[in-house]
Amino acid sequence: MTSVSVEVAIIGAGTAGCFIASLLDEAGVSCRLLEKSRGLGGRCSRRRIDENYSVDLGAPEFAMNADLDPVLLAKQQAWIRAGFVSAWQRPSARFDATTDTQMQTTLCATPSMNTWHKQIAGHIDTLTGSRVQRLQKSAGRWQLLDADGQVLTEADKVIVTSPAEQAYDLLKEFAGFEECKTVSDASLAQYVCAVGFSQSLNLSADVYRGGHPLLHTAIRESSKPARGTARGLAEVWMLHSTFAAAQHDSPDALIEAFCQHFAIEQTAQVLTSHYWRLSRHDTSVRQGQPFIWNDALQLGCCADWLDSGDMQGALNSSLQLFRAIHPAQ
């Protein structure tokens, strides 16, 4: 394999990685994304159920509010105009107050959440299926090496956007990245499963969140923009466990809890399930700026766990690190 040389190498092609890569690319900075999985998206992955239908397996939405950074607001509007992000207006409720619904509006990438990643970063040089195992300096430049010691990429700067545990494995020998360990110790796991129903459930909300010991969120997947449903099914619901439930329960327990809570008598068809070992992090364990940057080493981190722990946190962390290393913007 011939090593590629760029100005900035970005490890991880999830939301934070793809966004900062797109910002750097727009600014004329050569960069490369390195991703251990098969494609872009990270925890916004999509899983195919049949030849015509797939579901959002991870993060279900973007935040949409007037308090966002003006650059992020402008970006959101541009994504909407381009047609790969749409407003999702839906009735929402808590599990423990199912008759008290309110209308909320968020954003979804269409036709799946990882469409956004492909649209903003699909044109950027990306090496997938390659895990960076070690970083080393040679002649003043960074070398990114795989498990065999082969140099995958050389770069002037390196940005790590992996979950905190994986970031710590790469960065623990360098000064200034000790908090990766602190946050990784507070990582939170989560089960997610997709269930289908042959008849409409006629529930009052499309999203339920909070107020249940096992269910963190239940989302009527078929209510999201540009989504259909699997053949023979009227509705598909995505069930996300609470972080506590992921320690000892199973996807079957989630489905049983959902059906019991809403007194659903029809049979639920299990479409798929997934265990996110590093779903989120307890962001209360850290304070300060939403990124890490060692200017002497030209090495840093941006990720959701350095901000609010969700997609919006990943976007903000990336934007703030971009401004720090590219101050003209």
Side-chain angles (χ1 to χ4, degrees), residues 60-61 88 90-95 101-102 104 106 204-209 217-220 223-224 237:
E61 59 196 348
W88 178 29
R90 70 289 199 282
S92 301
R94 289 176 56 88
F95 285 104
T101 63
Q102 58 179 332
Q104 294 182 341
T106 57
S204 59
D206 291 331
V207 175
Y208 293 91
R209 182 174 285 124
T217 308
I219 300 166
R220 196 189 325 251
S223 74
K224 297 170 78 171
W237 284 79

mmCIF file with all atom_site columns, all heavy atoms in Angstrom, residues 60-61 88 90-95 101-102 104 106 204-209 217-220 223-224 237:
data_model
loop_
_atom_site.group_PDB
_atom_site.id
_atom_site.type_symbol
_atom_site.label_atom_id
_atom_site.label_alt_id
_atom_site.label_comp_id
_atom_site.label_asym_id
_atom_site.label_entity_id
_atom_site.label_seq_id
_atom_site.pdbx_PDB_ins_code
_atom_site.Cartn_x
_atom_site.Cartn_y
_atom_site.Cartn_z
_atom_site.occupancy
_atom_site.B_iso_or_equiv
_atom_site.pdbx_formal_charge
_atom_site.auth_seq_id
_atom_site.auth_comp_id
_atom_site.auth_asym_id
_atom_site.auth_atom_id
_atom_site.pdbx_PDB_model_num
ATOM 1   N N   . PRO A 1 60  ? -31.196 9.294  16.037 1.00 0.00 ? 60  PRO A N   1
ATOM 2   C CA  . PRO A 1 60  ? -32.379 9.434  15.195 1.00 0.00 ? 60  PRO A CA  1
ATOM 3   C C   . PRO A 1 60  ? -32.589 10.801 14.570 1.00 0.00 ? 60  PRO A C   1
ATOM 4   O O   . PRO A 1 60  ? -33.404 10.949 13.657 1.00 0.00 ? 60  PRO A O   1
ATOM 5   C CB  . PRO A 1 60  ? -33.526 9.139  16.180 1.00 0.00 ? 60  PRO A CB  1
ATOM 6   C CG  . PRO A 1 60  ? -33.001 9.635  17.496 1.00 0.00 ? 60  PRO A CG  1
ATOM 7   C CD  . PRO A 1 60  ? -31.514 9.370  17.475 1.00 0.00 ? 60  PRO A CD  1
ATOM 8   N N   . GLU A 1 61  ? -31.862 11.850 15.041 1.00 0.00 ? 61  GLU A N   1
ATOM 9   C CA  . GLU A 1 61  ? -32.229 13.203 14.618 1.00 0.00 ? 61  GLU A CA  1
ATOM 10  C C   . GLU A 1 61  ? -31.122 14.195 14.950 1.00 0.00 ? 61  GLU A C   1
ATOM 11  O O   . GLU A 1 61  ? -30.190 13.899 15.691 1.00 0.00 ? 61  GLU A O   1
ATOM 12  C CB  . GLU A 1 61  ? -33.517 13.621 15.333 1.00 0.00 ? 61  GLU A CB  1
ATOM 13  C CG  . GLU A 1 61  ? -33.376 13.613 16.845 1.00 0.00 ? 61  GLU A CG  1
ATOM 14  C CD  . GLU A 1 61  ? -34.690 13.633 17.577 1.00 0.00 ? 61  GLU A CD  1
ATOM 15  O OE1 . GLU A 1 61  ? -35.727 13.878 16.935 1.00 0.00 ? 61  GLU A OE1 1
ATOM 16  O OE2 . GLU A 1 61  ? -34.696 13.393 18.796 1.00 0.00 ? 61  GLU A OE2 1
ATOM 17  N N   . TRP A 1 88  ? -38.557 17.367 10.719 1.00 0.00 ? 88  TRP A N   1
ATOM 18  C CA  . TRP A 1 88  ? -39.410 16.277 11.197 1.00 0.00 ? 88  TRP A CA  1
ATOM 19  C C   . TRP A 1 88  ? -40.270 16.828 12.329 1.00 0.00 ? 88  TRP A C   1
ATOM 20  O O   . TRP A 1 88  ? -39.809 17.021 13.434 1.00 0.00 ? 88  TRP A O   1
ATOM 21  C CB  . TRP A 1 88  ? -38.551 15.113 11.674 1.00 0.00 ? 88  TRP A CB  1
ATOM 22  C CG  . TRP A 1 88  ? -39.324 13.946 12.242 1.00 0.00 ? 88  TRP A CG  1
ATOM 23  C CD1 . TRP A 1 88  ? -40.575 13.544 11.915 1.00 0.00 ? 88  TRP A CD1 1
ATOM 24  C CD2 . TRP A 1 88  ? -38.845 13.019 13.234 1.00 0.00 ? 88  TRP A CD2 1
ATOM 25  N NE1 . TRP A 1 88  ? -40.928 12.422 12.637 1.00 0.00 ? 88  TRP A NE1 1
ATOM 26  C CE2 . TRP A 1 88  ? -39.883 12.081 13.441 1.00 0.00 ? 88  TRP A CE2 1
ATOM 27  C CE3 . TRP A 1 88  ? -37.656 12.888 13.936 1.00 0.00 ? 88  TRP A CE3 1
ATOM 28  C CZ2 . TRP A 1 88  ? -39.753 11.039 14.362 1.00 0.00 ? 88  TRP A CZ2 1
ATOM 29  C CZ3 . TRP A 1 88  ? -37.529 11.849 14.841 1.00 0.00 ? 88  TRP A CZ3 1
ATOM 30  C CH2 . TRP A 1 88  ? -38.566 10.930 15.043 1.00 0.00 ? 88  TRP A CH2 1
ATOM 31  N N   . ARG A 1 90  ? -43.275 16.263 14.793 1.00 0.00 ? 90  ARG A N   1
ATOM 32  C CA  . ARG A 1 90  ? -43.995 15.097 15.315 1.00 0.00 ? 90  ARG A CA  1
ATOM 33  C C   . ARG A 1 90  ? -44.496 15.340 16.727 1.00 0.00 ? 90  ARG A C   1
ATOM 34  O O   . ARG A 1 90  ? -43.890 16.092 17.495 1.00 0.00 ? 90  ARG A O   1
ATOM 35  C CB  . ARG A 1 90  ? -43.110 13.853 15.263 1.00 0.00 ? 90  ARG A CB  1
ATOM 36  C CG  . ARG A 1 90  ? -41.935 13.803 16.235 1.00 0.00 ? 90  ARG A CG  1
ATOM 37  C CD  . ARG A 1 90  ? -40.804 14.739 15.943 1.00 0.00 ? 90  ARG A CD  1
ATOM 38  N NE  . ARG A 1 90  ? -39.532 14.425 16.557 1.00 0.00 ? 90  ARG A NE  1
ATOM 39  C CZ  . ARG A 1 90  ? -39.197 14.648 17.815 1.00 0.00 ? 90  ARG A CZ  1
ATOM 40  N NH1 . ARG A 1 90  ? -40.084 15.126 18.648 1.00 0.00 ? 90  ARG A NH1 1
ATOM 41  N NH2 . ARG A 1 90  ? -37.988 14.367 18.255 1.00 0.00 ? 90  ARG A NH2 1
ATOM 42  N N   . PRO A 1 91  ? -45.610 14.707 17.084 1.00 0.00 ? 91  PRO A N   1
ATOM 43  C CA  . PRO A 1 91  ? -46.068 14.756 18.470 1.00 0.00 ? 91  PRO A CA  1
ATOM 44  C C   . PRO A 1 91  ? -45.159 13.896 19.347 1.00 0.00 ? 91  PRO A C   1
ATOM 45  O O   . PRO A 1 91  ? -44.772 12.796 18.965 1.00 0.00 ? 91  PRO A O   1
ATOM 46  C CB  . PRO A 1 91  ? -47.486 14.179 18.403 1.00 0.00 ? 91  PRO A CB  1
ATOM 47  C CG  . PRO A 1 91  ? -47.508 13.345 17.162 1.00 0.00 ? 91  PRO A CG  1
ATOM 48  C CD  . PRO A 1 91  ? -46.540 13.972 16.212 1.00 0.00 ? 91  PRO A CD  1
ATOM 49  N N   . SER A 1 92  ? -44.797 14.425 20.512 1.00 0.00 ? 92  SER A N   1
ATOM 50  C CA  . SER A 1 92  ? -43.903 13.730 21.434 1.00 0.00 ? 92  SER A CA  1
ATOM 51  C C   . SER A 1 92  ? -44.530 13.688 22.819 1.00 0.00 ? 92  SER A C   1
ATOM 52  O O   . SER A 1 92  ? -45.354 14.538 23.169 1.00 0.00 ? 92  SER A O   1
ATOM 53  C CB  . SER A 1 92  ? -42.552 14.436 21.506 1.00 0.00 ? 92  SER A CB  1
ATOM 54  O OG  . SER A 1 92  ? -41.951 14.503 20.235 1.00 0.00 ? 92  SER A OG  1
ATOM 55  N N   . ALA A 1 93  ? -44.115 12.700 23.594 1.00 0.00 ? 93  ALA A N   1
ATOM 56  C CA  . ALA A 1 93  ? -44.649 12.555 24.947 1.00 0.00 ? 93  ALA A CA  1
ATOM 57  C C   . ALA A 1 93  ? -43.673 11.773 25.799 1.00 0.00 ? 93  ALA A C   1
ATOM 58  O O   . ALA A 1 93  ? -42.747 11.129 25.280 1.00 0.00 ? 93  ALA A O   1
ATOM 59  C CB  . ALA A 1 93  ? -46.002 11.849 24.911 1.00 0.00 ? 93  ALA A CB  1
ATOM 60  N N   . ARG A 1 94  ? -43.868 11.810 27.102 1.00 0.00 ? 94  ARG A N   1
ATOM 61  C CA  . ARG A 1 94  ? -43.150 10.948 28.025 1.00 0.00 ? 94  ARG A CA  1
ATOM 62  C C   . ARG A 1 94  ? -43.905 9.630  28.166 1.00 0.00 ? 94  ARG A C   1
ATOM 63  O O   . ARG A 1 94  ? -45.119 9.576  27.996 1.00 0.00 ? 94  ARG A O   1
ATOM 64  C CB  . ARG A 1 94  ? -43.026 11.618 29.399 1.00 0.00 ? 94  ARG A CB  1
ATOM 65  C CG  . ARG A 1 94  ? -42.065 12.795 29.429 1.00 0.00 ? 94  ARG A CG  1
ATOM 66  C CD  . ARG A 1 94  ? -42.083 13.440 30.816 1.00 0.00 ? 94  ARG A CD  1
ATOM 67  N NE  . ARG A 1 94  ? -41.783 12.482 31.889 1.00 0.00 ? 94  ARG A NE  1
ATOM 68  C CZ  . ARG A 1 94  ? -40.563 12.190 32.324 1.00 0.00 ? 94  ARG A CZ  1
ATOM 69  N NH1 . ARG A 1 94  ? -39.512 12.784 31.778 1.00 0.00 ? 94  ARG A NH1 1
ATOM 70  N NH2 . ARG A 1 94  ? -40.376 11.314 33.294 1.00 0.00 ? 94  ARG A NH2 1
ATOM 71  N N   . PHE A 1 95  ? -43.172 8.584  28.494 1.00 0.00 ? 95  PHE A N   1
ATOM 72  C CA  . PHE A 1 95  ? -43.823 7.297  28.725 1.00 0.00 ? 95  PHE A CA  1
ATOM 73  C C   . PHE A 1 95  ? -44.804 7.367  29.889 1.00 0.00 ? 95  PHE A C   1
ATOM 74  O O   . PHE A 1 95  ? -45.842 6.718  29.874 1.00 0.00 ? 95  PHE A O   1
ATOM 75  C CB  . PHE A 1 95  ? -42.782 6.209  29.021 1.00 0.00 ? 95  PHE A CB  1
ATOM 76  C CG  . PHE A 1 95  ? -42.027 5.747  27.812 1.00 0.00 ? 95  PHE A CG  1
ATOM 77  C CD1 . PHE A 1 95  ? -40.724 6.166  27.588 1.00 0.00 ? 95  PHE A CD1 1
ATOM 78  C CD2 . PHE A 1 95  ? -42.612 4.888  26.897 1.00 0.00 ? 95  PHE A CD2 1
ATOM 79  C CE1 . PHE A 1 95  ? -40.020 5.742  26.473 1.00 0.00 ? 95  PHE A CE1 1
ATOM 80  C CE2 . PHE A 1 95  ? -41.914 4.448  25.774 1.00 0.00 ? 95  PHE A CE2 1
ATOM 81  C CZ  . PHE A 1 95  ? -40.605 4.879  25.563 1.00 0.00 ? 95  PHE A CZ  1
ATOM 82  N N   . THR A 1 101 ? -49.255 15.155 24.998 1.00 0.00 ? 101 THR A N   1
ATOM 83  C CA  . THR A 1 101 ? -48.334 15.243 23.870 1.00 0.00 ? 101 THR A CA  1
ATOM 84  C C   . THR A 1 101 ? -48.081 16.690 23.491 1.00 0.00 ? 101 THR A C   1
ATOM 85  O O   . THR A 1 101 ? -48.903 17.575 23.755 1.00 0.00 ? 101 THR A O   1
ATOM 86  C CB  . THR A 1 101 ? -48.885 14.500 22.637 1.00 0.00 ? 101 THR A CB  1
ATOM 87  O OG1 . THR A 1 101 ? -50.102 15.125 22.225 1.00 0.00 ? 101 THR A OG1 1
ATOM 88  C CG2 . THR A 1 101 ? -49.145 13.038 22.958 1.00 0.00 ? 101 THR A CG2 1
ATOM 89  N N   . GLN A 1 102 ? -46.947 16.943 22.891 1.00 0.00 ? 102 GLN A N   1
ATOM 90  C CA  . GLN A 1 102 ? -46.636 18.270 22.371 1.00 0.00 ? 102 GLN A CA  1
ATOM 91  C C   . GLN A 1 102 ? -45.924 18.123 21.041 1.00 0.00 ? 102 GLN A C   1
ATOM 92  O O   . GLN A 1 102 ? -45.206 17.155 20.810 1.00 0.00 ? 102 GLN A O   1
ATOM 93  C CB  . GLN A 1 102 ? -45.775 19.047 23.358 1.00 0.00 ? 102 GLN A CB  1
ATOM 94  C CG  . GLN A 1 102 ? -44.468 18.376 23.728 1.00 0.00 ? 102 GLN A CG  1
ATOM 95  C CD  . GLN A 1 102 ? -43.647 19.208 24.700 1.00 0.00 ? 102 GLN A CD  1
ATOM 96  O OE1 . GLN A 1 102 ? -43.739 20.434 24.715 1.00 0.00 ? 102 GLN A OE1 1
ATOM 97  N NE2 . GLN A 1 102 ? -42.836 18.555 25.508 1.00 0.00 ? 102 GLN A NE2 1
ATOM 98  N N   . GLN A 1 104 ? -43.130 18.826 18.424 1.00 0.00 ? 104 GLN A N   1
ATOM 99  C CA  . GLN A 1 104 ? -41.727 19.209 18.396 1.00 0.00 ? 104 GLN A CA  1
ATOM 100 C C   . GLN A 1 104 ? -41.206 19.063 16.972 1.00 0.00 ? 104 GLN A C   1
ATOM 101 O O   . GLN A 1 104 ? -41.703 18.247 16.201 1.00 0.00 ? 104 GLN A O   1
ATOM 102 C CB  . GLN A 1 104 ? -40.908 18.327 19.336 1.00 0.00 ? 104 GLN A CB  1
ATOM 103 C CG  . GLN A 1 104 ? -41.245 18.506 20.801 1.00 0.00 ? 104 GLN A CG  1
ATOM 104 C CD  . GLN A 1 104 ? -40.375 17.648 21.706 1.00 0.00 ? 104 GLN A CD  1
ATOM 105 O OE1 . GLN A 1 104 ? -39.768 16.687 21.263 1.00 0.00 ? 104 GLN A OE1 1
ATOM 106 N NE2 . GLN A 1 104 ? -40.304 18.013 22.984 1.00 0.00 ? 104 GLN A NE2 1
ATOM 107 N N   . THR A 1 106 ? -37.591 18.566 14.837 1.00 0.00 ? 106 THR A N   1
ATOM 108 C CA  . THR A 1 106 ? -36.154 18.336 14.759 1.00 0.00 ? 106 THR A CA  1
ATOM 109 C C   . THR A 1 106 ? -35.814 18.128 13.279 1.00 0.00 ? 106 THR A C   1
ATOM 110 O O   . THR A 1 106 ? -36.657 18.342 12.404 1.00 0.00 ? 106 THR A O   1
ATOM 111 C CB  . THR A 1 106 ? -35.730 17.117 15.591 1.00 0.00 ? 106 THR A CB  1
ATOM 112 O OG1 . THR A 1 106 ? -36.463 15.972 15.153 1.00 0.00 ? 106 THR A OG1 1
ATOM 113 C CG2 . THR A 1 106 ? -36.002 17.352 17.067 1.00 0.00 ? 106 THR A CG2 1
ATOM 114 N N   . SER A 1 204 ? -50.716 8.067  20.393 1.00 0.00 ? 204 SER A N   1
ATOM 115 C CA  . SER A 1 204 ? -50.918 9.511  20.225 1.00 0.00 ? 204 SER A CA  1
ATOM 116 C C   . SER A 1 204 ? -49.652 10.256 19.826 1.00 0.00 ? 204 SER A C   1
ATOM 117 O O   . SER A 1 204 ? -49.731 11.366 19.306 1.00 0.00 ? 204 SER A O   1
ATOM 118 C CB  . SER A 1 204 ? -51.471 10.112 21.521 1.00 0.00 ? 204 SER A CB  1
ATOM 119 O OG  . SER A 1 204 ? -50.578 9.880  22.601 1.00 0.00 ? 204 SER A OG  1
ATOM 120 N N   . ALA A 1 205 ? -48.479 9.690  20.092 1.00 0.00 ? 205 ALA A N   1
ATOM 121 C CA  . ALA A 1 205 ? -47.210 10.361 19.770 1.00 0.00 ? 205 ALA A CA  1
ATOM 122 C C   . ALA A 1 205 ? -46.368 9.498  18.847 1.00 0.00 ? 205 ALA A C   1
ATOM 123 O O   . ALA A 1 205 ? -46.551 8.279  18.760 1.00 0.00 ? 205 ALA A O   1
ATOM 124 C CB  . ALA A 1 205 ? -46.449 10.676 21.054 1.00 0.00 ? 205 ALA A CB  1
ATOM 125 N N   . ASP A 1 206 ? -45.447 10.152 18.158 1.00 0.00 ? 206 ASP A N   1
ATOM 126 C CA  . ASP A 1 206 ? -44.485 9.437  17.309 1.00 0.00 ? 206 ASP A CA  1
ATOM 127 C C   . ASP A 1 206 ? -43.170 9.193  18.036 1.00 0.00 ? 206 ASP A C   1
ATOM 128 O O   . ASP A 1 206 ? -42.378 8.345  17.613 1.00 0.00 ? 206 ASP A O   1
ATOM 129 C CB  . ASP A 1 206 ? -44.200 10.239 16.035 1.00 0.00 ? 206 ASP A CB  1
ATOM 130 C CG  . ASP A 1 206 ? -45.395 10.282 15.099 1.00 0.00 ? 206 ASP A CG  1
ATOM 131 O OD1 . ASP A 1 206 ? -46.195 9.336  15.103 1.00 0.00 ? 206 ASP A OD1 1
ATOM 132 O OD2 . ASP A 1 206 ? -45.516 11.285 14.364 1.00 0.00 ? 206 ASP A OD2 1
ATOM 133 N N   . VAL A 1 207 ? -42.929 9.944  19.105 1.00 0.00 ? 207 VAL A N   1
ATOM 134 C CA  . VAL A 1 207 ? -41.722 9.783  19.908 1.00 0.00 ? 207 VAL A CA  1
ATOM 135 C C   . VAL A 1 207 ? -42.105 9.808  21.379 1.00 0.00 ? 207 VAL A C   1
ATOM 136 O O   . VAL A 1 207 ? -42.810 10.713 21.829 1.00 0.00 ? 207 VAL A O   1
ATOM 137 C CB  . VAL A 1 207 ? -40.692 10.903 19.626 1.00 0.00 ? 207 VAL A CB  1
ATOM 138 C CG1 . VAL A 1 207 ? -39.487 10.780 20.564 1.00 0.00 ? 207 VAL A CG1 1
ATOM 139 C CG2 . VAL A 1 207 ? -40.228 10.869 18.177 1.00 0.00 ? 207 VAL A CG2 1
ATOM 140 N N   . TYR A 1 208 ? -41.637 8.809  22.114 1.00 0.00 ? 208 TYR A N   1
ATOM 141 C CA  . TYR A 1 208 ? -41.788 8.768  23.567 1.00 0.00 ? 208 TYR A CA  1
ATOM 142 C C   . TYR A 1 208 ? -40.390 8.741  24.164 1.00 0.00 ? 208 TYR A C   1
ATOM 143 O O   . TYR A 1 208 ? -39.533 7.965  23.747 1.00 0.00 ? 208 TYR A O   1
ATOM 144 C CB  . TYR A 1 208 ? -42.563 7.521  24.002 1.00 0.00 ? 208 TYR A CB  1
ATOM 145 C CG  . TYR A 1 208 ? -44.012 7.539  23.565 1.00 0.00 ? 208 TYR A CG  1
ATOM 146 C CD1 . TYR A 1 208 ? -44.393 6.989  22.345 1.00 0.00 ? 208 TYR A CD1 1
ATOM 147 C CD2 . TYR A 1 208 ? -44.989 8.118  24.362 1.00 0.00 ? 208 TYR A CD2 1
ATOM 148 C CE1 . TYR A 1 208 ? -45.717 7.004  21.929 1.00 0.00 ? 208 TYR A CE1 1
ATOM 149 C CE2 . TYR A 1 208 ? -46.327 8.147  23.965 1.00 0.00 ? 208 TYR A CE2 1
ATOM 150 C CZ  . TYR A 1 208 ? -46.674 7.587  22.744 1.00 0.00 ? 208 TYR A CZ  1
ATOM 151 O OH  . TYR A 1 208 ? -47.991 7.617  22.337 1.00 0.00 ? 208 TYR A OH  1
ATOM 152 N N   . ARG A 1 209 ? -40.175 9.604  25.158 1.00 0.00 ? 209 ARG A N   1
ATOM 153 C CA  . ARG A 1 209 ? -38.837 9.689  25.753 1.00 0.00 ? 209 ARG A CA  1
ATOM 154 C C   . ARG A 1 209 ? -38.967 10.071 27.223 1.00 0.00 ? 209 ARG A C   1
ATOM 155 O O   . ARG A 1 209 ? -39.588 11.067 27.558 1.00 0.00 ? 209 ARG A O   1
ATOM 156 C CB  . ARG A 1 209 ? -37.993 10.709 25.000 1.00 0.00 ? 209 ARG A CB  1
ATOM 157 C CG  . ARG A 1 209 ? -36.567 10.849 25.496 1.00 0.00 ? 209 ARG A CG  1
ATOM 158 C CD  . ARG A 1 209 ? -35.751 11.780 24.615 1.00 0.00 ? 209 ARG A CD  1
ATOM 159 N NE  . ARG A 1 209 ? -35.372 11.163 23.352 1.00 0.00 ? 209 ARG A NE  1
ATOM 160 C CZ  . ARG A 1 209 ? -35.647 11.673 22.161 1.00 0.00 ? 209 ARG A CZ  1
ATOM 161 N NH1 . ARG A 1 209 ? -36.322 12.808 22.062 1.00 0.00 ? 209 ARG A NH1 1
ATOM 162 N NH2 . ARG A 1 209 ? -35.260 11.050 21.065 1.00 0.00 ? 209 ARG A NH2 1
ATOM 163 N N   . THR A 1 217 ? -36.110 5.657  24.766 1.00 0.00 ? 217 THR A N   1
ATOM 164 C CA  . THR A 1 217 ? -36.827 6.316  23.680 1.00 0.00 ? 217 THR A CA  1
ATOM 165 C C   . THR A 1 217 ? -37.520 5.263  22.824 1.00 0.00 ? 217 THR A C   1
ATOM 166 O O   . THR A 1 217 ? -36.973 4.178  22.602 1.00 0.00 ? 217 THR A O   1
ATOM 167 C CB  . THR A 1 217 ? -35.864 7.109  22.769 1.00 0.00 ? 217 THR A CB  1
ATOM 168 O OG1 . THR A 1 217 ? -35.051 7.970  23.570 1.00 0.00 ? 217 THR A OG1 1
ATOM 169 C CG2 . THR A 1 217 ? -36.627 7.949  21.749 1.00 0.00 ? 217 THR A CG2 1
ATOM 170 N N   . ALA A 1 218 ? -38.708 5.598  22.367 1.00 0.00 ? 218 ALA A N   1
ATOM 171 C CA  . ALA A 1 218 ? -39.401 4.787  21.357 1.00 0.00 ? 218 ALA A CA  1
ATOM 172 C C   . ALA A 1 218 ? -39.790 5.719  20.225 1.00 0.00 ? 218 ALA A C   1
ATOM 173 O O   . ALA A 1 218 ? -40.398 6.771  20.449 1.00 0.00 ? 218 ALA A O   1
ATOM 174 C CB  . ALA A 1 218 ? -40.634 4.113  21.938 1.00 0.00 ? 218 ALA A CB  1
ATOM 175 N N   . ILE A 1 219 ? -39.427 5.357  19.000 1.00 0.00 ? 219 ILE A N   1
ATOM 176 C CA  . ILE A 1 219 ? -39.619 6.222  17.838 1.00 0.00 ? 219 ILE A CA  1
ATOM 177 C C   . ILE A 1 219 ? -40.392 5.467  16.768 1.00 0.00 ? 219 ILE A C   1
ATOM 178 O O   . ILE A 1 219 ? -40.002 4.363  16.371 1.00 0.00 ? 219 ILE A O   1
ATOM 179 C CB  . ILE A 1 219 ? -38.266 6.669  17.258 1.00 0.00 ? 219 ILE A CB  1
ATOM 180 C CG1 . ILE A 1 219 ? -37.469 7.454  18.304 1.00 0.00 ? 219 ILE A CG1 1
ATOM 181 C CG2 . ILE A 1 219 ? -38.452 7.494  15.987 1.00 0.00 ? 219 ILE A CG2 1
ATOM 182 C CD1 . ILE A 1 219 ? -36.021 7.646  17.941 1.00 0.00 ? 219 ILE A CD1 1
ATOM 183 N N   . ARG A 1 220 ? -41.477 6.077  16.323 1.00 0.00 ? 220 ARG A N   1
ATOM 184 C CA  . ARG A 1 220 ? -42.198 5.516  15.169 1.00 0.00 ? 220 ARG A CA  1
ATOM 185 C C   . ARG A 1 220 ? -41.362 5.828  13.931 1.00 0.00 ? 220 ARG A C   1
ATOM 186 O O   . ARG A 1 220 ? -41.445 6.903  13.352 1.00 0.00 ? 220 ARG A O   1
ATOM 187 C CB  . ARG A 1 220 ? -43.599 6.104  15.058 1.00 0.00 ? 220 ARG A CB  1
ATOM 188 C CG  . ARG A 1 220 ? -44.507 5.285  14.142 1.00 0.00 ? 220 ARG A CG  1
ATOM 189 C CD  . ARG A 1 220 ? -45.862 5.974  13.842 1.00 0.00 ? 220 ARG A CD  1
ATOM 190 N NE  . ARG A 1 220 ? -46.420 6.740  14.916 1.00 0.00 ? 220 ARG A NE  1
ATOM 191 C CZ  . ARG A 1 220 ? -47.509 6.398  15.629 1.00 0.00 ? 220 ARG A CZ  1
ATOM 192 N NH1 . ARG A 1 220 ? -48.132 5.278  15.370 1.00 0.00 ? 220 ARG A NH1 1
ATOM 193 N NH2 . ARG A 1 220 ? -47.958 7.209  16.582 1.00 0.00 ? 220 ARG A NH2 1
ATOM 194 N N   . SER A 1 223 ? -42.666 7.354  10.796 1.00 0.00 ? 223 SER A N   1
ATOM 195 C CA  . SER A 1 223 ? -43.159 8.737  10.787 1.00 0.00 ? 223 SER A CA  1
ATOM 196 C C   . SER A 1 223 ? -42.094 9.723  10.328 1.00 0.00 ? 223 SER A C   1
ATOM 197 O O   . SER A 1 223 ? -42.399 10.894 10.081 1.00 0.00 ? 223 SER A O   1
ATOM 198 C CB  . SER A 1 223 ? -43.636 9.133  12.185 1.00 0.00 ? 223 SER A CB  1
ATOM 199 O OG  . SER A 1 223 ? -42.535 9.351  13.062 1.00 0.00 ? 223 SER A OG  1
ATOM 200 N N   . LYS A 1 224 ? -40.853 9.280  10.218 1.00 0.00 ? 224 LYS A N   1
ATOM 201 C CA  . LYS A 1 224 ? -39.773 10.185 9.856  1.00 0.00 ? 224 LYS A CA  1
ATOM 202 C C   . LYS A 1 224 ? -39.836 10.532 8.370  1.00 0.00 ? 224 LYS A C   1
ATOM 203 O O   . LYS A 1 224 ? -40.359 9.755  7.568  1.00 0.00 ? 224 LYS A O   1
ATOM 204 C CB  . LYS A 1 224 ? -38.429 9.547  10.213 1.00 0.00 ? 224 LYS A CB  1
ATOM 205 C CG  . LYS A 1 224 ? -38.265 9.313  11.711 1.00 0.00 ? 224 LYS A CG  1
ATOM 206 C CD  . LYS A 1 224 ? -37.064 8.477  12.040 1.00 0.00 ? 224 LYS A CD  1
ATOM 207 C CE  . LYS A 1 224 ? -35.805 9.265  11.969 1.00 0.00 ? 224 LYS A CE  1
ATOM 208 N NZ  . LYS A 1 224 ? -34.644 8.493  12.503 1.00 0.00 ? 224 LYS A NZ  1
ATOM 209 N N   . TRP A 1 237 ? -41.269 0.536  14.753 1.00 0.00 ? 237 TRP A N   1
ATOM 210 C CA  . TRP A 1 237 ? -40.819 1.324  15.902 1.00 0.00 ? 237 TRP A CA  1
ATOM 211 C C   . TRP A 1 237 ? -39.386 0.951  16.251 1.00 0.00 ? 237 TRP A C   1
ATOM 212 O O   . TRP A 1 237 ? -39.013 -0.222 16.235 1.00 0.00 ? 237 TRP A O   1
ATOM 213 C CB  . TRP A 1 237 ? -41.713 1.073  17.119 1.00 0.00 ? 237 TRP A CB  1
ATOM 214 C CG  . TRP A 1 237 ? -43.039 1.774  17.024 1.00 0.00 ? 237 TRP A CG  1
ATOM 215 C CD1 . TRP A 1 237 ? -44.131 1.376  16.292 1.00 0.00 ? 237 TRP A CD1 1
ATOM 216 C CD2 . TRP A 1 237 ? -43.405 2.995  17.660 1.00 0.00 ? 237 TRP A CD2 1
ATOM 217 N NE1 . TRP A 1 237 ? -45.161 2.280  16.442 1.00 0.00 ? 237 TRP A NE1 1
ATOM 218 C CE2 . TRP A 1 237 ? -44.736 3.285  17.278 1.00 0.00 ? 237 TRP A CE2 1
ATOM 219 C CE3 . TRP A 1 237 ? -42.751 3.876  18.530 1.00 0.00 ? 237 TRP A CE3 1
ATOM 220 C CZ2 . TRP A 1 237 ? -45.419 4.412  17.719 1.00 0.00 ? 237 TRP A CZ2 1
ATOM 221 C CZ3 . TRP A 1 237 ? -43.419 5.005  18.977 1.00 0.00 ? 237 TRP A CZ3 1
ATOM 222 C CH2 . TRP A 1 237 ? -44.738 5.269  18.576 1.00 0.00 ? 237 TRP A CH2 1
#
